[in-house]
Amino acid sequence: MDWKFLEGLLSGVNKYSTGFGRIWLSVVFVFRVLVFVVAAERVWSDDQGHFDCNTRQPGCTNICYDYFFPISHIRLWALQLIFVTCPSFMVVLHVAYREERERKYRTKHGENTRLYDNPGQKHGGLWWTYLISLLMKTIFELSFLYFLHYIYDSFKLPRKVQCDVSPCPNLVDCYISRPTEKTVFTYFMVGASAVCVVLNICEIFYLIALRMVNLKRRGSIRTSSRKIHPDMNCDACKSSFAS
């Protein structure tokens, strides 16, 4: 898989992100994508070929492997990385939509006019898009962590598993290759995912708190304007505030 393409797309998200979002992006690429590409794929490259069972019954080893590993860790993590990064594209698409509206507005009303002070500023609909993308990323992260724990009943890989699935003649012992190394990488990837969840939650609270502070500040300015100009109607107050 070409992760450079994904990196190029997400690099555009970085300039629209908050400080928490930039840290999240760094964690994703340094501690998840880079570790995934450089080390994790190689650790699981021989997982099926070195899955040994103490029987020579044809098909037993393959069936037991499929029973204990219905989805490979490496493929599940690849899906997780794709799902948790896709919501960020919502922000890029929304900014692109704003920039296109800005271009059409200037074409119609002149180059000196502006529809947005800054198309990438998180207010209005873009604020909601950014917040929804954070919620989606958090839900995807937690869902994949639960899914991984549910499938394997633990994040720790056992050294030996016992299988009695047909066509195995009886209860056979099967041995996983390099279980300690795989367990270490599993805990590392789970830990990096948990850090991303914490960063997403922190960013959600940060956005909400910042929004409340801005709304309170605007309310204070409007109240002050009405005290200074008590005869102004609501539209006049808005015009004075906008100027």
Side-chain angles (χ1 to χ4, degrees):
M1 183 172 182
D2 189 5
W3 293 103
K4 292 183 179 179
F5 175 73
L6 182 63
E7 182 180 3
L9 290 176
L10 283 178
S11 60
V13 184
N14 199 27
K15 58 183 178 180
Y16 307 123
S17 302
T18 64
F20 290 105
R22 295 185 182 95
I23 297 174
W24 175 87
L25 195 61
S26 300
V27 171
V28 167
F29 279 109
V30 176
F31 294 102
R32 298 180 70 176
V33 175
L34 190 60
V35 172
F36 179 89
V37 174
V38 174
E41 280 188 317
R42 298 181 182 180
V43 172
W44 267 269
S45 61
D46 60 347
D47 53 349
Q48 186 171 4
H50 290 77
F51 184 81
D52 296 326
C53 297
N54 59 353
T55 180
R56 293 188 178 276
Q57 177 69 30
C60 178
T61 301
N62 290 334
I63 292 298
C64 289
Y65 178 82
D66 182 69
Y67 179 79
F68 287 105
F69 294 93
I71 299 179
S72 173
H73 283 69
I74 208 70
R75 292 178 178 87
L76 189 63
W77 288 334
L79 285 175
Q80 183 181 9
L81 287 171
I82 292 172
F83 271 84
V84 300
T85 52
C86 280
S88 299
F89 299 139
M90 296 169 54
V91 179
V92 177
L93 292 175
H94 198 148
V95 174
Y97 168 74
R98 280 187 166 190
E99 290 176 346
E100 180 63 18
R101 286 192 62 190
E102 180 74 20
R103 185 189 64 81
K104 291 181 179 180
Y105 187 84
R106 288 187 177 185
T107 302
K108 183 177 181 180
H109 297 89
E111 290 295 329
N112 295 326
T113 58
R114 295 181 67 87
L115 184 61
Y116 301 102
D117 293 334
N118 181 8
Q121 187 176 358
K122 290 181 287 295
H123 61 79
L126 185 60
W127 184 89
W128 285 104
T129 301
Y130 197 92
L131 183 65
I132 291 172
S133 69
L134 291 174
L135 292 173
M136 291 178 63
K137 287 190 290 187
T138 305
I139 292 172
F140 285 143
E141 292 277 19
L142 294 175
S143 298
F144 274 96
L145 287 177
Y146 172 78
F147 194 47
L148 180 64
H149 190 275
Y150 177 78
I151 290 176
Y152 297 105
D153 194 34
S154 174
F155 296 130
K156 181 179 180 180
L157 273 71
R159 289 180 169 83
K160 181 183 74 173
V161 292
Q162 293 182 320
C163 176
D164 59 353
V165 183
S166 178
C168 296
N170 47 37
L171 186 65
V172 299
D173 295 331
C174 297
Y175 302 92
I176 301 173
S177 67
R178 295 184 291 179
T180 303
E181 185 178 10
K182 292 177 180 178
T183 299
V184 170
F185 273 97
T186 301
Y187 277 118
F188 183 87
M189 296 297 284
V190 169
S193 181
V195 171
C196 290
V197 171
V198 172
L199 289 173
N200 287 333
I201 294 175
C202 290
E203 191 170 12
I204 289 173
F205 281 106
Y206 171 76
L207 283 177
I208 295 175
L210 190 63
R211 181 66 176 267
M212 293 176 64
V213 169
N214 290 334
L215 290 176
K216 186 177 180 179
R217 185 181 302 167
R218 291 177 184 176
S220 300
I221 294 176
R222 290 177 181 177
T223 303
S224 300
S225 299
R226 289 170 183 170
K227 290 181 179 179
I228 297 173
H229 305 285
D231 297 333
M232 292 176 61
N233 56 25
C234 185
D235 293 336
C237 290
K238 291 181 180 179
S239 300
S240 176
F241 176 75
S243 61

